[in-house]
Every structure is written in structure tokens, then in C-alpha cells.
Amino acid sequence: LVPLKSNKMIYAILLMIFDSKAELENESKLILSTLNAAFTLKYFSLFSSRKNTAANKERTTTLLDQIENLKQSREDLHKILDSLHEGIFIVDKTTKQIADVNKTAEQLILADKESLIGRNKDDFFLFFDTTIFREEIITSEEALLVNATGTTIPIIYTATDIQLGSYDYQIVSFLDISERKKMEDKIQQNRFELEFIVEDRTRELLNSNKELEKEIAKKELAQKENIKLISAVQQTESLIIITDLNSRIEY
């Protein structure tokens, strides 16, 4: 910052050198612009008369307060994002590059913020073909998160477009549903086991019915034979007496 003094104002030239790929976000531009104004007023206060010292000091303090408030707002925003159970990516919609992440995203991906910023968001997500998995318990919002070790984690994925100034961003949120998927897998397993038990029991009942039908057929045949014998006994002219082993007459 090079101050240039005139009769009534202090002017400053701000020189910043970047590589060819560097770009400033709107927030960074606002901070630098405010800092530039603050430094200008600071230099002006050093060379101005005592009469205006208090007023200049107040103006400088006001600008510095704005900077502090802006910084505090940014910190508060990150605290809110870091407190969420969902992982958050703030993505440049045009380039699909990650501009910011929260703590949960770092923990799920097993990588720090510095290594994630600038990466393409599509490097971390795999999506299901619902036409293939239509028989499974899968919604259109489900996907897989690929972390730094190559491990896949089942997630609920949502993306919301947002415009900040003249820039278009996308807020990507993803929630780890590993425990829920374990429960769903358990439900699937129990359902399969129950279907197997029902099928097995059905086979047993069918076999039992077949055996029962055979027994009924045998009894019906024996009953017919008994009826024939009774008819023959009743129609004979001979005297017939049937007793048990103790000589008690039964017929």
C-alpha cells in the first residue's frame, strides 16, 4: 500500500500479484476494499490537523468495526455450518469446483479443507441407476460418497442453487445414512428369512395334507369293507355271536 498525499486527501495504490489461475471471491474483494479505505483514513488521520483528529478517528473506527463485523459474520456462518450433521460443499456452479466445506464434510471424506477446495465435486459422488435398483429400498436422492481412502459411504444427497452477487453457486449437502442402510439390510434379510420359513412351512403342510389324504382314503376303504362284512353278517341265516377276550358279547 503506497500512500500518495495531496492537500486534502490521502490516495493509495494497492498492488497485488497473483498467478494466472487465482480469482477473488466477492467477500474477499469487499474485505480488501474496506481495508483499503481504512488504511487511507489511517494515513489521513496521521497528517490531518488536531481539530479533525477525533472525527477521523471515529470514521476509521467505524470502518474497522465493519471489517470486524464482516469477519465475525463469516466466523459465525462457519460455526453454524460446522455444527450441522450434514456434510456441506459450497460449489462454483460454472466450474463445479469446491469453494468451501464444513467440518462434517472433512470428517466424512477424511481430508482437510485445504485439500478439498478447488477439487471437482463430482470426484466424490456416485449415483444409482434407479432403473436397475428399482426392486431395492433406494430413493432418487440416495448416492454413494467416495472418501479419501476409496471407501464408499451411503448418503442422502441434495443440491440447491444460490446466487451471491454476480456468481452462481450450488450448496451440496450429504448425510451419512450408513446406520439406516444397515437397518434396511437387516429388514431385507429378515424378509428373506421369513419368506423362506413360509415356503418351507407351506411345503410341510402340503406334504402333511398328502399324507392325511392317504390316511383318509385308507379309512374310507376300510369302512367300505366293514360295511360289506356287516351286510353279509346281517343277511346270513347262521347264528353269529362276537365276544371280547373276556367272553362279553359285543355283537
Side-chain angles (χ1 to χ4, degrees):
L1 188 67
V2 183
L4 303 176
K5 185 173 68 172
S6 68
N7 292 332
K8 296 182 179 180
M9 289 291 295
I10 297 293
Y11 296 94
I13 298 175
L14 183 67
L15 177 64
M16 302 185 71
I17 302 175
F18 295 96
D19 60 30
S20 59
K21 296 181 180 179
E23 293 182 0
L24 285 179
E25 297 179 358
N26 286 344
E27 186 177 3
S28 300
K29 291 178 181 179
L30 178 60
I31 291 174
L32 290 173
S33 176
T34 309
L35 283 172
N36 186 30
F39 281 126
T40 300
L41 288 175
K42 183 65 175 176
Y43 280 114
F44 180 79
S45 66
L46 293 176
F47 295 101
S48 64
S49 63
R50 293 182 179 180
K51 182 178 180 181
N52 297 324
T53 298
N56 290 333
K57 184 177 180 181
E58 183 178 354
R59 291 179 61 191
T60 303
T61 303
T62 301
L63 285 172
L64 291 176
D65 287 342
Q66 291 177 3
I67 297 171
E68 186 61 31
N69 290 337
L70 186 62
K71 180 181 178 182
Q72 186 62 45
S73 297
R74 181 182 176 88
E75 291 177 354
D76 290 343
L77 176 61
H78 276 91
K79 285 180 181 178
I80 294 172
L81 293 178
D82 290 339
S83 68
L84 298 176
H85 293 294
E86 295 91 349
I88 300 292
F89 280 172
I90 300 178
V91 179
D92 186 318
K93 191 176 178 182
T94 304
T95 63
K96 294 186 177 182
Q97 290 181 340
I98 299 170
D100 204 352
V101 303
N102 70 344
K103 285 291 184 185
T104 305
E106 294 181 76
Q107 293 167 359
L108 288 174
I109 299 176
L110 302 178
D112 56 26
K113 179 184 295 190
E114 287 71 20
S115 63
L116 294 175
I117 291 177
R119 295 278 302 276
N120 190 307
K121 73 175 181 66
D122 293 339
D123 294 343
F124 300 98
F125 300 106
L126 298 174
F127 297 94
F128 294 102
D129 186 343
T130 53
T131 59
I132 296 176
F133 291 93
R134 59 180 178 273
E135 299 298 329
E136 303 293 333
I137 308 177
I138 290 179
T139 68
S140 58
E141 294 181 340
E142 289 190 26
L144 292 176
L145 174 71
V146 184
N147 66 18
T149 65
T151 304
T152 55
I153 303 170
I155 59 169
I156 291 290
Y157 174 99
T158 57
T160 304
D161 294 340
I162 185 173
Q163 188 172 25
L164 300 175
S166 59
Y167 293 91
D168 292 325
Y169 289 94
Q170 194 175 57
I171 308 299
V172 176
S173 65
F174 43 96
L175 177 65
D176 184 357
I177 56 171
S178 299
E179 292 302 319
R180 196 190 85 178
K181 297 306 290 184
K182 287 179 182 178
M183 292 298 296
E184 289 178 357
D185 291 342
K186 188 65 176 177
I187 291 172
Q188 290 278 50
Q189 181 181 353
N190 291 340
R191 187 174 70 181
F192 173 78
E193 292 175 354
L194 180 60
E195 289 175 352
F196 178 79
I197 291 172
V198 170
E199 290 177 1
D200 190 53
R201 183 59 178 163
T202 302
R203 284 194 296 269
E204 290 179 359
L205 291 174
L206 289 174
N207 292 333
S208 298
N209 288 338
K210 289 179 181 179
E211 293 296 325
L212 183 59
E213 289 173 358
K214 290 179 181 179
E215 291 295 326
I216 292 173
K218 288 180 181 179
K219 289 182 179 181
E220 288 177 347
L221 182 61
Q223 189 174 9
K224 289 179 180 178
E225 292 297 325
N226 289 336
I227 291 173
K228 288 180 182 179
L229 290 174
I230 291 172
S231 297
V233 168
Q234 289 177 344
Q235 294 174 11
T236 183
E237 295 179 354
S238 303
L239 176 62
I240 296 176
I241 297 174
I242 299 175
T243 68
D244 62 14
L245 296 178
N246 296 321
S247 299
R248 286 192 293 267
I249 296 173
E250 292 182 346
Y251 182 84

